[in-house]
Amino acid sequence: MDISGEQVKVPRHVGIIMDGNGRWARKRLLPRNAGHRAGVQRMEELAVHAQEMGVEYFTVYALSTENMSRSKEELDGLYNLIRSYFSKSVDELYRRHAAVRILGDMAPLPGDVAEKLYEAEVNSPGDATFHFQFAINYGGRAEILRAVNDAALLAHRDALEGRPPARYTDESFHDLLYTKGMPDVDLIIRTGGEERLSNFLLYQAAYAELYFTDVLFPDFDTGEFDKALLDFSRRDRRYGKIRPGE
Ligand code: IPE
Ligand code: IPE
Ligand code: MG
């Protein structure tokens, strides 16, 4: 793939921490939820663009476990945006051979929202070429704790049946995470100026390249996305090794 005449290596899996919606709205004297609405539009545009650029896995951080303590008004606005996005846009995603996966605990969400998300996932095409993950009520720590508790239950079952407990490998442990079967995230982009992960993909980000920008998410257009791809492409990913000849 070419960006401004430069041949780039496109990351297979991109994650985006979509931050800055509230500040974008405040600058315009609008309610916070107007910022979230603008953010959803941006997210749709970026997903199409990422797919065109050759990204295979695209994961967006929409709502963290910590965000669940925001005001009822803000959460209701976010749930409405999720309802309308998953009613209107999911068929278009399938038409583009995209599969949906939800990362996070759906149980505390309003029942109809949880149901819509579940349906979007199970009705996804089996032969998808693009994988769109929505992290909703997601936290990296909660995800790891859930895996540990599942592992303990499996060990208990093994003990009852007289088998020794399984020893986990990186791969078999990953099978207990929401991202089971997916490649690790290669590039994490965070908009909105903060330089932290805020509990996003803690296990999967072990060797992710991190890209931080002050641009607020509703202003993060496809040109800004390409800047992140170009920056990623120029990084030297060594994974703890040294380059041959050094
Ligand atoms: C990120 O934008 C989206 C969610 C957390 C739902 P924020 O709502 O955190 O926006 P700022 O950081 O207040 O600008
Ligand atoms: C991270 O943004 C979560 C999402 C973008 C969904 P926050 O605005 O919640 O993060 P902090 O509080 O600044 O770390
Ligand atoms: Mg924020």
Side-chain angles (χ1 to χ4, degrees), residues 4 59 67 76 83 85 108 125 145 169 175 185 202 205 216 243:
S4 340
T59 303
N67 292 149
D76 283 345
R83 281 187 187 96
Y85 177 81
L145 287 172
T169 61
D175 283 349
V185 62
L202 297 183
L216 303 174
R243 274 174 300 190

Side-chain angles (χ1 to χ4, degrees), residues 18-23 32 67 70 190 192 194 196:
M18 307 185 291
D19 197 20
N21 295 346
R23 279 162 284 164
R32 293 182 61 82
N67 292 149
R70 290 196 182 183
R190 181 171 187 147
E194 312 296 346
R196 53 179 172 251

Side-chain angles (χ1 to χ4, degrees), residues 153-163:
L153 278 177
L154 292 170
H156 181 62
R157 199 186 61 190
D158 283 340
L160 288 177
E161 294 173 7
R163 285 191 300 267

Side-chain angles (χ1 to χ4, degrees), residues 159-228:
L160 288 177
E161 294 173 7
R163 285 191 300 267
R167 302 212 42 101
Y168 282 86
T169 61
D170 198 356
E171 201 172 27
S172 64
F173 187 72
H174 189 197
D175 283 349
L176 300 174
L177 300 178
Y178 292 120
T179 50
K180 173 179 176 161
M182 291 171 43
D184 278 349
V185 62
D186 297 297
L187 169 65
I188 292 180
I189 298 170
R190 181 171 187 147
T191 61
E194 312 296 346
E195 302 194 349
R196 53 179 172 251
L197 288 176
S198 301
N199 211 2
F200 187 48
L201 300 180
L202 297 183
Y203 189 83
Q204 301 84 344
Y207 266 98
E209 297 296 330
L210 309 178
Y211 179 87
F212 298 108
T213 170
D214 289 338
V215 176
L216 303 174
F217 187 68
D219 293 327
F220 190 77
D221 60 14
T222 55
E224 292 293 337
F225 186 82
D226 284 353
K227 278 194 214 166

